[in-house]
Amino acid sequence: MSEFDYDLFVIGGGSGGVRAARVAAGEAGAKVALAEDDRYGGTCVIRGCVPKKLMVFASEYAGVVEDAQSYGWDLQQGPFDWPAFRGRLNDELDRLEQVYRNLLKSSGVDTFDARASLSGPHEVTLSTGEIKSAKHILVATGGHPVRPEMPNAHLGIVSDDIFHLESLPKSLLIIGGGYIACEFAGIMNGLGVEVTQYYRGAQILRGFDDEARGLVAEQMREKGINLHLGTNIVDIAPAEADHSMSRAGTGSDAAMGAAAQDQMAAQVSKDAARGPVWVKATNGSEKVFDLVLFATGRNPNSRDIGLEELGVKLGRRGQIEVDDYSQTAVPSIYAIGDVTDRVNLTPVAIREGMAFVETVFHANPTPVDHSLIPSAIFTQPEMGTVGLSEEEARDKEPVEIFCTSFRPMQTAFAGRPDRVLMKLIVSKANRKVLGCHIVAPGAGEMIQLAGIAIKMGATKEDFDRTVAVHPTMSEEIVTMRTPVRTA
Ligand code: NDP
């Protein structure tokens, strides 16, 4: 008989936590519990990847009707019914949440709909007052969106709030140039909202291949997004108020600090979408928008759950510091997913959860391989990417660049100016493909498959001897013969 209530207590019912819990219970036969204080499924299912992708689909139908007309169909564009879509979206999320609950139940995991914090290296205290002991504790609490620290920042919403809007705004200002900012710029633009985007840097999607992100930016503008680079927000106030009063106003979010801001988040979510806001930008412009979305990054959910008190080390942004096996400075406590801020993607959190179970419950120490992770940004057009950007690669070794950009058949026929891009970065020394970048409709689907070849160590010659699939956009990936440059 174990001295503990459980072999494993998982805090957080998102993708990583749920996978670890059910594999530990189901396959490894461990006695497992999981606590979740919000909805099961976490960021990905409830307020991230899944509803976002459904919104991408919704937003793309406007273009489909126009294209269909060019192909001879007598279709007319009707208005977009946001409440109808949102209702169906909520039904789908309810269904998925139930799937997650059922998966845990059928694996024999005990679930607690409560907030959990750590009260000892082997002890968890629930908001219900219950105390549970466990041989191992896995923290999989994810992250949350953050606003910049500036007065009146609460007047803007964050990505969590988008899915609950009562109605779509007529005009929207998005602050940021990362994944979330660029994806929602495309979504809202497609749904008929006038979208303006301010990004403080020289080009959106910092860290990705320059040529690829350049094309995404160009195409976003082409589709009607009012993208301003090198521009940031300096002031925000209710549109109808005296702005000078607001600026000098009573509640300074900057003074409040990040932790207090986080606590306010739920309250703010309800209030944020109230009315138009006045915004002043670094370029001196002053404009009124129906809604402002801060897509200015996410922070780990690591505060106020007893971690530091126990000696678990947190990094500068609050991320839990772990070793290659997801173990923290306290041997019985592990952490996976966004709360560790390694690579913040759902499939990575799932991998980390599986590796944790393999390490701890099958006595087979398994580090997580964070190299060559393919990923997609669901901008319009999408970007799919794996491996090194041209800029990263040429800093490491001499490379050849193969790249082509063209108007794809389907939209060119419909008279659209859309362009796509296919790009390979190849090592001069050993001919291995070091990076692949695709900007095109369906790039996410394409990069998954290119990712297999590149993970296997494919050379440019392996790509070359693969016969093209014709006529497709992706055939260009195996037909680029001459490098456009060497670097
Ligand atoms: P990102 O870190 O990708 O982007 C944050 C953006 O906000 C950057 O452009 C950053 O600028 C800007 N920013 C930060 N602080 C400020 C500020 N004070 N004022 C103005 N701008 C600011 O975060 P996201 O929230 O977009 O996404 C978080 C993570 O979620 C991603 O990194 C990704 O891992 C994951 N994700 C993945 C998706 C996918 O796989 N398709 C989709 C959505 C999210 P700067 O570049 O100058 O720092």
Side-chain angles (χ1 to χ4, degrees):
M1 182 83 183
S2 167
E3 55 181 305
F4 301 109
D5 297 330
Y6 293 101
D7 299 317
L8 172 65
F9 200 106
V10 180
I11 305 180
S15 304
V18 167
R19 178 63 67 91
R22 70 186 180 88
V23 176
E27 287 174 21
K31 190 164 185 233
V32 182
L34 182 147
E36 167 60 58
D37 69 343
D38 200 329
R39 299 184 65 185
Y40 286 67
T43 299
C44 173
V45 176
I46 303 298
R47 59 194 87 84
C49 321
V50 171
K52 179 274 307 288
K53 187 90 191 265
L54 290 168
M55 285 183 76
V56 170
F57 290 142
S59 71
E60 286 174 342
Y61 279 98
V64 167
V65 171
E66 277 175 34
D67 288 357
Q69 291 166 347
S70 302
Y71 278 88
W73 289 93
D74 180 17
L75 293 185
Q76 295 311 316
Q77 182 84 51
F80 175 66
D81 186 342
W82 166 252
F85 169 74
R86 197 192 48 200
R88 288 183 58 81
L89 181 65
N90 286 336
D91 290 348
E92 178 62 4
L93 301 187
D94 289 347
R95 186 187 72 80
L96 289 171
E97 185 181 8
Q98 202 51 51
V99 167
Y100 269 69
R101 283 182 181 273
N102 292 345
L103 282 171
L104 289 168
K105 199 170 171 197
S106 61
S107 307
V109 176
D110 287 349
T111 53
F112 298 92
D113 292 359
R115 184 171 168 80
S117 50
L118 292 103
S119 39
H122 295 280
E123 191 182 271
V124 165
T125 299
L126 298 170
S127 48
T128 54
E130 291 166 280
I131 293 176
K132 301 289 173 188
S133 63
K135 186 166 184 202
H136 304 283
I137 296 171
L138 179 66
V139 183
T141 45
H144 61 277
V146 286
R147 295 173 173 80
E149 293 201 8
M150 65 185 293
N152 281 333
H154 66 276
L155 293 173
I157 64 166
V158 292
S159 58
D160 289 359
D161 307 318
I162 286 266
F163 312 106
H164 308 291
L165 292 175
E166 286 298 315
S167 57
L168 289 183
K170 191 164 174 304
S171 61
L172 169 69
L173 171 66
I174 299 178
I175 310 291
Y179 284 78
I180 294 179
C182 297
E183 291 183 341
F184 277 107
I187 289 168
M188 288 299 182
N189 181 57
L191 295 180
V193 176
E194 282 166 28
V195 177
T196 303
Q197 184 177 352
Y198 291 169
Y199 173 51
R200 63 185 179 181
Q203 185 54 280
I204 55 166
L205 299 171
R206 182 164 60 82
F208 292 95
D209 185 89
D210 274 359
E211 217 167 4
R213 63 201 183 115
L215 181 62
V216 172
E218 183 189 309
Q219 296 286 290
M220 284 169 68
R221 285 197 173 108
E222 185 69 52
K223 288 179 191 298
I225 294 162
N226 195 1
L227 172 62
H228 295 263
L229 300 175
T231 307
N232 206 354
I233 185 171
V234 285
D235 211 348
I236 177 169
E240 64 276 14
D242 176 337
H243 301 143
S244 58
M245 286 298 289
S246 298
R247 285 199 297 278
T250 47
S252 161
D253 293 349
M256 196 189 302
Q261 271 201 58
D262 292 346
Q263 280 179 1
M264 271 186 69
Q267 167 69 35
V268 160
S269 305
K270 292 195 178 66
D271 296 343
R274 256 198 224 144
V277 280
W278 166 91
V279 170
K280 186 169 179 189
T282 44
N283 61 12
S285 77
E286 297 184 33
K287 291 199 173 119
V288 172
F289 297 92
D290 286 343
L291 194 63
V292 173
L293 166 66
F294 286 111
T296 43
R298 296 175 59 86
N299 279 352
N301 290 330
S302 58
R303 309 281 183 199
D304 303 327
I305 50 173
L307 287 165
E308 284 161 298
E309 293 82 339
L310 291 175
V312 173
K313 299 264 177 301
L314 301 186
R316 197 173 56 85
R317 296 183 53 237
Q319 74 274 24
I320 299 179
E321 292 189 349
V322 290
D323 66 11
D324 290 348
Y325 305 92
S326 300
Q327 191 172 28
T328 72
V330 179
S332 57
I333 302 174
Y334 288 73
I336 57 165
D338 286 7
V339 76
T340 62
D341 197 24
R342 286 175 279 182
V343 179
N344 297 334
L345 299 171
T346 300
V348 175
I350 290 172
R351 289 273 165 141
E352 290 167 355
M354 303 281 281
F356 157 78
V357 173
E358 193 61 29
T359 300
V360 172
F361 291 100
H362 293 293
N364 176 25
T366 305
V368 182
D369 178 4
H370 288 105
S371 68
L372 290 174
I373 295 170
S375 69
I377 309 159
F378 294 98
T379 39
Q380 298 176 26
E382 282 173 30
M383 187 198 300
T385 178
V386 60
L388 300 178
S389 66
E390 179 177 340
E391 296 69 37
E392 288 168 328
R394 73 181 181 213
D395 281 350
K396 288 190 179 358
E397 58 178 298
V399 286
E400 286 182 357
I401 309 300
F402 295 82
C403 186
T404 178
S405 178
F406 55 96
R407 291 176 69 199
M409 184 196 262
Q410 187 177 8
T411 43
F413 182 85
R416 283 181 189 274
D418 298 18
R419 295 191 75 76
V420 301
L421 175 136
M422 307 277 158
K423 181 167 180 178
L424 294 177
I425 321 292
V426 177
S427 162
K428 265 189 166 176
N430 62 18
R431 308 297 299 155
K432 278 195 180 166
V433 177
L434 303 174
C436 176
H437 311 282
I438 301 177
V439 178
E445 305 289 347
M446 296 179 210
I447 207 70
Q448 178 70 82
L449 303 179
I452 300 171
I454 292 169
K455 187 81 183 164
M456 289 174 75
T459 61
K460 177 67 171 66
E461 285 62 39
D462 291 324
F463 275 64
D464 291 347
R465 63 196 172 82
T466 305
V467 175
V469 178
H470 184 71
T472 63
M473 291 180 280
S474 54
E475 66 181 302
E476 298 289 334
I477 278 289
V478 297
T479 56
M480 293 186 285
R481 290 282 170 255
T482 319
V484 290
R485 60 188 165 271
T486 54

